[in-house]
Amino acid sequence: MPKSVLLSDGLADKYAGLLKCPICHNSMALINKKSLICRDKHCFDLAKQGYVNLLSHGIKTKYNKQLFEARKLLAQSGFFEPLNQLLCTLIGNLMNNSEGKAQGPSLNIVDAGCGEGSHLATIQQKLLQSRGIQPLGVGMDLAKEGIQMAARDYGSILWCVADLAQCPFGDQQFNVLLNILSPANYSEFARILTDDGLIIKVVPEKDYLKELREILYKETAKQDYSNAKTRELFENHLQLCKLVPLRYSVTLDQPLIGNLVQMTPLTWGAEETRIAKVLKLESLEITIDLTIMVGQKREERS
Ligand SMILES: [Zn+2]
């Protein structure tokens, strides 16, 4: 059975200290090495896999176990390696720039919408190997199936099932918030981020998975994709510090082509015959076209 970081010697209090009750917003403490409980006695048990479910009610998502397994296999093949490397560099540079500041060397990272957790786990490992930085990592996702898989495979991170609209964390607990190919809730993000913290959001550009899009949606309205609204929303809420483009391509063989088809919501509305066509390919060169948006909270105007 994997051990939760909430049960680790030395770090348990630090992790528990980041959390607050999603129902009454009071702080929480771990009791009997098995439950998080707040002052008003709202109680959340650690699951046997080591994660904690901080939803006040059950929510079903369209993201199932099969999708997360496929995404994990694709991630393990190196599909997101250049992205994870770039995110690691951005975070590492932030730490260099803040040396000597009052916040010192501590780094708390939350991945909001972490899915099966491989981005955060990879980044945490890279930061340790390349910079000697051991961040306190927290991954949250609405999909229990993703969090269960993350907890199964990566023991050095606190994994929570939680709702972005009611992040179960206290104010200003994180210096870095990752939001990778996932929806955002900017008012909650700003609340849980320190004043000099960074929000790093990864959004798809128009050529992201374009070869797949072409087969699935040729001559339909879904063939083209624009992120203009996503970018506008980001800039409405945050001070945009930096836009970093990232474009590369990978060649997939079977069974990774099948994993790609399973992992992306792009296939949800596609015709079966077109999906079957993709699944018959022996090899597929696919474009990963992304922008990394780095933002900070706007200064409060008094
Ligand atoms: Zn409570």
Side-chain angles (χ1 to χ4, degrees):
M1 179 179 118
K3 189 176 154 185
S4 169
V5 289
L6 282 169
L7 302 177
S8 69
D9 291 332
L11 285 176
D13 289 346
K14 270 193 177 171
Y15 277 104
L18 299 172
L19 296 167
K20 66 160 201 178
C21 175
I23 299 166
C24 70
H25 311 310
N26 283 308
S27 57
M28 292 198 284
L30 188 72
I31 53 155
N32 302 330
K33 295 194 169 185
K34 73 176 188 68
S35 306
L36 286 160
I37 193 161
C38 77
R39 207 171 56 198
D40 284 356
K41 303 273 187 284
H42 299 121
C43 185
F44 303 88
D45 291 339
L46 292 192
K48 65 178 188 317
Q49 296 94 334
Y51 69 93
V52 59
N53 186 339
L54 291 165
L55 286 177
S56 49
H57 51 283
I59 295 177
K60 252 213 146 353
T61 74
K62 282 178 87 174
Y63 293 80
N64 59 27
K65 197 172 169 214
Q66 197 186 25
L67 180 150
F68 289 118
E69 289 284 9
R71 183 169 294 181
K72 173 156 287 181
L73 289 169
L74 211 58
Q76 283 169 350
S77 78
F79 193 80
F80 293 113
E81 176 63 21
L83 171 63
N84 290 332
Q85 185 58 51
L86 181 58
L87 293 173
C88 177
T89 303
L90 287 169
I91 296 167
N93 290 347
L94 164 76
M95 290 309 286
N96 285 353
N97 293 341
S98 69
E99 265 171 32
K101 280 193 186 172
Q103 73 180 48
S106 76
L107 175 61
N108 295 354
I109 304 180
V110 59
D111 184 355
C114 64
E116 36 65 52
S118 58
H119 288 294
L120 182 58
T122 307
I123 290 164
Q124 189 190 50
Q125 195 184 21
K126 281 179 183 293
L127 283 169
L128 184 61
Q129 281 167 356
S130 65
R131 310 257 184 166
I133 300 167
Q134 175 106 62
L136 222 55
V138 180
M140 64 178 285
D141 203 287
L142 192 57
K144 188 164 80 176
E145 292 77 7
I147 291 295
Q148 281 173 333
M149 205 172 293
R152 180 192 74 191
D153 294 341
Y154 310 114
S156 58
I157 289 165
L158 173 60
W159 301 107
C160 324
V161 184
D163 187 352
L164 286 193
Q166 292 168 301
C167 290
F169 310 111
D171 297 353
Q172 302 206 27
Q173 296 296 329
F174 297 97
N175 342 63
V176 173
L177 184 147
L178 296 171
N179 184 224
I180 303 171
L181 301 170
S182 184
N185 183 302
Y186 291 113
S187 56
E188 277 296 83
F189 289 0
R191 182 183 65 74
I192 65 176
L193 197 69
T194 59
D195 284 340
D196 58 356
L198 291 185
I199 294 187
I200 302 177
K201 180 170 178 69
V202 179
V203 295
E205 283 297 328
K206 73 172 178 37
D207 286 346
Y208 181 64
L209 309 184
K210 76 175 162 101
E211 296 82 359
L212 184 61
R213 196 179 300 270
E214 270 163 19
I215 303 171
L216 294 177
Y217 297 108
K218 201 170 171 68
E219 288 154 15
T220 74
K222 267 191 165 181
Q223 190 179 345
D224 293 319
Y225 165 81
S226 163
N227 65 18
K229 277 192 182 141
T230 308
R231 276 170 71 156
E232 191 184 317
L233 199 62
F234 186 95
E235 291 188 59
N236 283 346
H237 287 85
L238 299 165
Q239 186 72 44
L240 180 66
C241 310
K242 204 188 272 189
L243 282 178
V244 187
L246 176 67
R247 190 186 170 105
Y248 58 96
S249 65
V250 292
T251 303
L252 300 178
D253 305 322
Q254 294 294 357
L256 288 171
I257 295 172
N259 295 145
L260 176 69
V261 166
Q262 282 175 337
M263 81 138 197
T264 173
L266 204 56
T267 53
W268 289 353
E271 288 171 23
E272 289 296 329
T273 51
R274 294 192 183 208
I275 294 175
K277 198 173 155 191
V278 179
L279 291 173
K280 280 198 197 115
L281 296 172
E282 276 181 22
S283 165
L284 174 66
E285 186 175 349
I286 193 120
T287 304
I288 287 104
D289 184 21
L290 304 165
T291 292
I292 294 122
M293 307 172 75
V294 183
Q296 283 198 299
K297 290 204 260 189
R298 288 183 192 282
E299 281 176 37
E300 299 279 340
R301 298 203 182 91
S302 52

PDB file of all heavy atoms in Angstrom, residues 223-246:
ATOM      1  N   GLN A 223     -12.622  21.347 -37.346  1.00  0.00           N
ATOM      2  CA  GLN A 223     -11.263  21.154 -37.834  1.00  0.00           C
ATOM      3  C   GLN A 223     -10.307  22.214 -37.280  1.00  0.00           C
ATOM      4  O   GLN A 223      -9.150  21.933 -37.017  1.00  0.00           O
ATOM      5  CB  GLN A 223     -11.233  21.162 -39.367  1.00  0.00           C
ATOM      6  CG  GLN A 223      -9.872  20.727 -39.892  1.00  0.00           C
ATOM      7  CD  GLN A 223      -9.809  20.708 -41.410  1.00  0.00           C
ATOM      8  OE1 GLN A 223     -10.830  20.749 -42.086  1.00  0.00           O
ATOM      9  NE2 GLN A 223      -8.605  20.653 -41.936  1.00  0.00           N
ATOM     10  N   ASP A 224     -10.806  23.442 -37.119  1.00  0.00           N
ATOM     11  CA  ASP A 224      -9.935  24.507 -36.620  1.00  0.00           C
ATOM     12  C   ASP A 224     -10.175  24.757 -35.147  1.00  0.00           C
ATOM     13  O   ASP A 224     -11.254  24.541 -34.632  1.00  0.00           O
ATOM     14  CB  ASP A 224     -10.187  25.790 -37.405  1.00  0.00           C
ATOM     15  CG  ASP A 224      -9.736  25.634 -38.842  1.00  0.00           C
ATOM     16  OD1 ASP A 224      -8.669  25.027 -39.050  1.00  0.00           O
ATOM     17  OD2 ASP A 224     -10.466  26.088 -39.742  1.00  0.00           O
ATOM     18  N   TYR A 225      -9.104  25.220 -34.497  1.00  0.00           N
ATOM     19  CA  TYR A 225      -9.200  25.475 -33.080  1.00  0.00           C
ATOM     20  C   TYR A 225      -8.562  26.819 -32.771  1.00  0.00           C
ATOM     21  O   TYR A 225      -7.526  27.168 -33.329  1.00  0.00           O
ATOM     22  CB  TYR A 225      -8.469  24.364 -32.299  1.00  0.00           C
ATOM     23  CG  TYR A 225      -8.228  24.737 -30.873  1.00  0.00           C
ATOM     24  CD1 TYR A 225      -9.241  24.591 -29.932  1.00  0.00           C
ATOM     25  CD2 TYR A 225      -7.014  25.290 -30.471  1.00  0.00           C
ATOM     26  CE1 TYR A 225      -9.044  24.984 -28.625  1.00  0.00           C
ATOM     27  CE2 TYR A 225      -6.811  25.679 -29.156  1.00  0.00           C
ATOM     28  CZ  TYR A 225      -7.826  25.524 -28.245  1.00  0.00           C
ATOM     29  OH  TYR A 225      -7.616  25.927 -26.959  1.00  0.00           O
ATOM     30  N   SER A 226      -9.192  27.589 -31.914  1.00  0.00           N
ATOM     31  CA  SER A 226      -8.589  28.858 -31.509  1.00  0.00           C
ATOM     32  C   SER A 226      -8.597  28.968 -29.991  1.00  0.00           C
ATOM     33  O   SER A 226      -9.561  28.581 -29.339  1.00  0.00           O
ATOM     34  CB  SER A 226      -9.391  30.013 -32.104  1.00  0.00           C
ATOM     35  OG  SER A 226      -9.069  31.200 -31.410  1.00  0.00           O
ATOM     36  N   ASN A 227      -7.519  29.503 -29.428  1.00  0.00           N
ATOM     37  CA  ASN A 227      -7.491  29.677 -27.971  1.00  0.00           C
ATOM     38  C   ASN A 227      -7.659  31.147 -27.585  1.00  0.00           C
ATOM     39  O   ASN A 227      -7.348  31.527 -26.456  1.00  0.00           O
ATOM     40  CB  ASN A 227      -6.205  29.100 -27.381  1.00  0.00           C
ATOM     41  CG  ASN A 227      -4.977  29.845 -27.841  1.00  0.00           C
ATOM     42  OD1 ASN A 227      -5.079  30.979 -28.316  1.00  0.00           O
ATOM     43  ND2 ASN A 227      -3.813  29.253 -27.697  1.00  0.00           N
ATOM     44  N   ALA A 228      -8.142  31.948 -28.517  1.00  0.00           N
ATOM     45  CA  ALA A 228      -8.237  33.392 -28.273  1.00  0.00           C
ATOM     46  C   ALA A 228      -9.016  33.711 -26.992  1.00  0.00           C
ATOM     47  O   ALA A 228      -8.615  34.561 -26.201  1.00  0.00           O
ATOM     48  CB  ALA A 228      -8.885  34.078 -29.474  1.00  0.00           C
ATOM     49  N   LYS A 229     -10.112  32.990 -26.767  1.00  0.00           N
ATOM     50  CA  LYS A 229     -10.936  33.269 -25.577  1.00  0.00           C
ATOM     51  C   LYS A 229     -10.192  32.914 -24.293  1.00  0.00           C
ATOM     52  O   LYS A 229     -10.287  33.620 -23.295  1.00  0.00           O
ATOM     53  CB  LYS A 229     -12.248  32.487 -25.651  1.00  0.00           C
ATOM     54  CG  LYS A 229     -13.278  33.195 -26.491  1.00  0.00           C
ATOM     55  CD  LYS A 229     -14.670  32.584 -26.332  1.00  0.00           C
ATOM     56  CE  LYS A 229     -15.645  33.308 -27.233  1.00  0.00           C
ATOM     57  NZ  LYS A 229     -16.604  32.412 -27.857  1.00  0.00           N
ATOM     58  N   THR A 230      -9.469  31.788 -24.327  1.00  0.00           N
ATOM     59  CA  THR A 230      -8.710  31.370 -23.156  1.00  0.00           C
ATOM     60  C   THR A 230      -7.654  32.417 -22.795  1.00  0.00           C
ATOM     61  O   THR A 230      -7.468  32.761 -21.631  1.00  0.00           O
ATOM     62  CB  THR A 230      -8.006  30.023 -23.443  1.00  0.00           C
ATOM     63  OG1 THR A 230      -8.978  29.113 -23.934  1.00  0.00           O
ATOM     64  CG2 THR A 230      -7.368  29.461 -22.200  1.00  0.00           C
ATOM     65  N   ARG A 231      -6.991  32.921 -23.817  1.00  0.00           N
ATOM     66  CA  ARG A 231      -5.954  33.916 -23.556  1.00  0.00           C
ATOM     67  C   ARG A 231      -6.545  35.214 -23.042  1.00  0.00           C
ATOM     68  O   ARG A 231      -5.996  35.850 -22.145  1.00  0.00           O
ATOM     69  CB  ARG A 231      -5.132  34.159 -24.815  1.00  0.00           C
ATOM     70  CG  ARG A 231      -4.051  33.104 -24.940  1.00  0.00           C
ATOM     71  CD  ARG A 231      -3.360  33.130 -26.268  1.00  0.00           C
ATOM     72  NE  ARG A 231      -2.499  34.302 -26.423  1.00  0.00           N
ATOM     73  CZ  ARG A 231      -1.456  34.318 -27.273  1.00  0.00           C
ATOM     74  NH1 ARG A 231      -1.159  33.260 -27.969  1.00  0.00           N
ATOM     75  NH2 ARG A 231      -0.729  35.396 -27.388  1.00  0.00           N
ATOM     76  N   GLU A 232      -7.678  35.594 -23.609  1.00  0.00           N
ATOM     77  CA  GLU A 232      -8.327  36.827 -23.172  1.00  0.00           C
ATOM     78  C   GLU A 232      -8.732  36.726 -21.697  1.00  0.00           C
ATOM     79  O   GLU A 232      -8.522  37.644 -20.906  1.00  0.00           O
ATOM     80  CB  GLU A 232      -9.559  37.071 -24.050  1.00  0.00           C
ATOM     81  CG  GLU A 232     -10.182  38.433 -23.895  1.00  0.00           C
ATOM     82  CD  GLU A 232     -11.450  38.555 -24.739  1.00  0.00           C
ATOM     83  OE1 GLU A 232     -11.445  38.096 -25.898  1.00  0.00           O
ATOM     84  OE2 GLU A 232     -12.442  39.089 -24.211  1.00  0.00           O
ATOM     85  N   LEU A 233      -9.281  35.578 -21.332  1.00  0.00           N
ATOM     86  CA  LEU A 233      -9.713  35.360 -19.951  1.00  0.00           C
ATOM     87  C   LEU A 233      -8.522  35.427 -18.983  1.00  0.00           C
ATOM     88  O   LEU A 233      -8.601  36.035 -17.917  1.00  0.00           O
ATOM     89  CB  LEU A 233     -10.387  33.983 -19.856  1.00  0.00           C
ATOM     90  CG  LEU A 233     -11.280  33.723 -18.657  1.00  0.00           C
ATOM     91  CD1 LEU A 233     -12.470  34.673 -18.642  1.00  0.00           C
ATOM     92  CD2 LEU A 233     -11.788  32.272 -18.685  1.00  0.00           C
ATOM     93  N   PHE A 234      -7.423  34.825 -19.374  1.00  0.00           N
ATOM     94  CA  PHE A 234      -6.205  34.856 -18.558  1.00  0.00           C
ATOM     95  C   PHE A 234      -5.769  36.299 -18.316  1.00  0.00           C
ATOM     96  O   PHE A 234      -5.504  36.703 -17.185  1.00  0.00           O
ATOM     97  CB  PHE A 234      -5.099  34.078 -19.288  1.00  0.00           C
ATOM     98  CG  PHE A 234      -3.821  33.884 -18.513  1.00  0.00           C
ATOM     99  CD1 PHE A 234      -3.608  32.726 -17.779  1.00  0.00           C
ATOM    100  CD2 PHE A 234      -2.801  34.839 -18.546  1.00  0.00           C
ATOM    101  CE1 PHE A 234      -2.421  32.512 -17.078  1.00  0.00           C
ATOM    102  CE2 PHE A 234      -1.615  34.646 -17.845  1.00  0.00           C
ATOM    103  CZ  PHE A 234      -1.422  33.480 -17.116  1.00  0.00           C
ATOM    104  N   GLU A 235      -5.749  37.079 -19.414  1.00  0.00           N
ATOM    105  CA  GLU A 235      -5.263  38.459 -19.285  1.00  0.00           C
ATOM    106  C   GLU A 235      -6.273  39.370 -18.587  1.00  0.00           C
ATOM    107  O   GLU A 235      -5.899  40.402 -18.047  1.00  0.00           O
ATOM    108  CB  GLU A 235      -4.887  39.016 -20.658  1.00  0.00           C
ATOM    109  CG  GLU A 235      -3.648  38.315 -21.199  1.00  0.00           C
ATOM    110  CD  GLU A 235      -3.102  38.950 -22.463  1.00  0.00           C
ATOM    111  OE1 GLU A 235      -2.753  40.140 -22.420  1.00  0.00           O
ATOM    112  OE2 GLU A 235      -3.043  38.253 -23.495  1.00  0.00           O
ATOM    113  N   ASN A 236      -7.531  38.977 -18.580  1.00  0.00           N
ATOM    114  CA  ASN A 236      -8.520  39.742 -17.804  1.00  0.00           C
ATOM    115  C   ASN A 236      -8.289  39.597 -16.308  1.00  0.00           C
ATOM    116  O   ASN A 236      -8.622  40.485 -15.535  1.00  0.00           O
ATOM    117  CB  ASN A 236      -9.944  39.264 -18.123  1.00  0.00           C
ATOM    118  CG  ASN A 236     -10.435  39.784 -19.443  1.00  0.00           C
ATOM    119  OD1 ASN A 236      -9.840  40.699 -20.016  1.00  0.00           O
ATOM    120  ND2 ASN A 236     -11.518  39.199 -19.946  1.00  0.00           N
ATOM    121  N   HIS A 237      -7.759  38.452 -15.901  1.00  0.00           N
ATOM    122  CA  HIS A 237      -7.617  38.182 -14.480  1.00  0.00           C
ATOM    123  C   HIS A 237      -6.208  38.375 -13.945  1.00  0.00           C
ATOM    124  O   HIS A 237      -6.019  38.586 -12.752  1.00  0.00           O
ATOM    125  CB  HIS A 237      -8.052  36.744 -14.160  1.00  0.00           C
ATOM    126  CG  HIS A 237      -9.526  36.544 -14.230  1.00  0.00           C
ATOM    127  ND1 HIS A 237     -10.181  36.274 -15.401  1.00  0.00           N
ATOM    128  CD2 HIS A 237     -10.474  36.605 -13.266  1.00  0.00           C
ATOM    129  CE1 HIS A 237     -11.481  36.163 -15.156  1.00  0.00           C
ATOM    130  NE2 HIS A 237     -11.688  36.364 -13.869  1.00  0.00           N
ATOM    131  N   LEU A 238      -5.222  38.240 -14.806  1.00  0.00           N
ATOM    132  CA  LEU A 238      -3.838  38.209 -14.327  1.00  0.00           C
ATOM    133  C   LEU A 238      -2.967  39.179 -15.104  1.00  0.00           C
ATOM    134  O   LEU A 238      -3.291  39.576 -16.212  1.00  0.00           O
ATOM    135  CB  LEU A 238      -3.261  36.792 -14.506  1.00  0.00           C
ATOM    136  CG  LEU A 238      -3.966  35.671 -13.759  1.00  0.00           C
ATOM    137  CD1 LEU A 238      -3.527  34.329 -14.314  1.00  0.00           C
ATOM    138  CD2 LEU A 238      -3.660  35.744 -12.267  1.00  0.00           C
ATOM    139  N   GLN A 239      -1.855  39.517 -14.490  1.00  0.00           N
ATOM    140  CA  GLN A 239      -0.820  40.275 -15.174  1.00  0.00           C
ATOM    141  C   GLN A 239       0.004  39.273 -15.982  1.00  0.00           C
ATOM    142  O   GLN A 239       0.643  38.398 -15.398  1.00  0.00           O
ATOM    143  CB  GLN A 239       0.063  40.951 -14.108  1.00  0.00           C
ATOM    144  CG  GLN A 239       1.095  41.894 -14.659  1.00  0.00           C
ATOM    145  CD  GLN A 239       0.445  43.169 -15.168  1.00  0.00           C
ATOM    146  OE1 GLN A 239      -0.424  43.726 -14.510  1.00  0.00           O
ATOM    147  NE2 GLN A 239       0.847  43.590 -16.346  1.00  0.00           N
ATOM    148  N   LEU A 240      -0.032  39.398 -17.293  1.00  0.00           N
ATOM    149  CA  LEU A 240       0.728  38.460 -18.129  1.00  0.00           C
ATOM    150  C   LEU A 240       2.199  38.856 -18.108  1.00  0.00           C
ATOM    151  O   LEU A 240       2.558  39.977 -18.455  1.00  0.00           O
ATOM    152  CB  LEU A 240       0.192  38.493 -19.563  1.00  0.00           C
ATOM    153  CG  LEU A 240       0.885  37.574 -20.560  1.00  0.00           C
ATOM    154  CD1 LEU A 240       0.653  36.112 -20.220  1.00  0.00           C
ATOM    155  CD2 LEU A 240       0.393  37.859 -21.978  1.00  0.00           C
ATOM    156  N   CYS A 241       3.077  37.961 -17.671  1.00  0.00           N
ATOM    157  CA  CYS A 241       4.517  38.265 -17.590  1.00  0.00           C
ATOM    158  C   CYS A 241       5.260  37.767 -18.817  1.00  0.00           C
ATOM    159  O   CYS A 241       6.231  38.358 -19.250  1.00  0.00           O
ATOM    160  CB  CYS A 241       5.158  37.607 -16.372  1.00  0.00           C
ATOM    161  SG  CYS A 241       4.297  37.903 -14.843  1.00  0.00           S
ATOM    162  N   LYS A 242       4.822  36.638 -19.341  1.00  0.00           N
ATOM    163  CA  LYS A 242       5.622  35.999 -20.368  1.00  0.00           C
ATOM    164  C   LYS A 242       4.757  35.025 -21.166  1.00  0.00           C
ATOM    165  O   LYS A 242       3.903  34.347 -20.608  1.00  0.00           O
ATOM    166  CB  LYS A 242       6.719  35.201 -19.643  1.00  0.00           C
ATOM    167  CG  LYS A 242       7.964  34.940 -20.476  1.00  0.00           C
ATOM    168  CD  LYS A 242       8.907  33.995 -19.756  1.00  0.00           C
ATOM    169  CE  LYS A 242       9.866  34.705 -18.835  1.00  0.00           C
ATOM    170  NZ  LYS A 242      10.904  33.819 -18.309  1.00  0.00           N
ATOM    171  N   LEU A 243       5.009  34.984 -22.477  1.00  0.00           N
ATOM    172  CA  LEU A 243       4.393  33.962 -23.330  1.00  0.00           C
ATOM    173  C   LEU A 243       5.519  33.158 -23.951  1.00  0.00           C
ATOM    174  O   LEU A 243       6.392  33.722 -24.602  1.00  0.00           O
ATOM    175  CB  LEU A 243       3.613  34.615 -24.470  1.00  0.00           C
ATOM    176  CG  LEU A 243       2.233  35.200 -24.196  1.00  0.00           C
ATOM    177  CD1 LEU A 243       1.687  35.835 -25.474  1.00  0.00           C
ATOM    178  CD2 LEU A 243       1.283  34.125 -23.697  1.00  0.00           C
ATOM    179  N   VAL A 244       5.517  31.875 -23.718  1.00  0.00           N
ATOM    180  CA  VAL A 244       6.591  31.045 -24.269  1.00  0.00           C
ATOM    181  C   VAL A 244       5.976  30.031 -25.237  1.00  0.00           C
ATOM    182  O   VAL A 244       5.204  29.163 -24.823  1.00  0.00           O
ATOM    183  CB  VAL A 244       7.340  30.289 -23.143  1.00  0.00           C
ATOM    184  CG1 VAL A 244       8.560  29.574 -23.704  1.00  0.00           C
ATOM    185  CG2 VAL A 244       7.729  31.230 -22.009  1.00  0.00           C
ATOM    186  N   PRO A 245       6.304  30.135 -26.523  1.00  0.00           N
ATOM    187  CA  PRO A 245       5.792  29.133 -27.466  1.00  0.00           C
ATOM    188  C   PRO A 245       6.600  27.845 -27.385  1.00  0.00           C
ATOM    189  O   PRO A 245       7.797  27.876 -27.100  1.00  0.00           O
ATOM    190  CB  PRO A 245       5.992  29.802 -28.831  1.00  0.00           C
ATOM    191  CG  PRO A 245       7.088  30.794 -28.643  1.00  0.00           C
ATOM    192  CD  PRO A 245       7.154  31.151 -27.184  1.00  0.00           C
ATOM    193  N   LEU A 246       5.926  26.743 -27.609  1.00  0.00           N
ATOM    194  CA  LEU A 246       6.638  25.459 -27.624  1.00  0.00           C
ATOM    195  C   LEU A 246       6.016  24.595 -28.719  1.00  0.00           C
ATOM    196  O   LEU A 246       4.816  24.325 -28.698  1.00  0.00           O
ATOM    197  CB  LEU A 246       6.516  24.750 -26.267  1.00  0.00           C
ATOM    198  CG  LEU A 246       7.153  23.357 -26.211  1.00  0.00           C
ATOM    199  CD1 LEU A 246       8.667  23.430 -26.343  1.00  0.00           C
ATOM    200  CD2 LEU A 246       6.780  22.631 -24.928  1.00  0.00           C
TER     201      LEU A 246
END
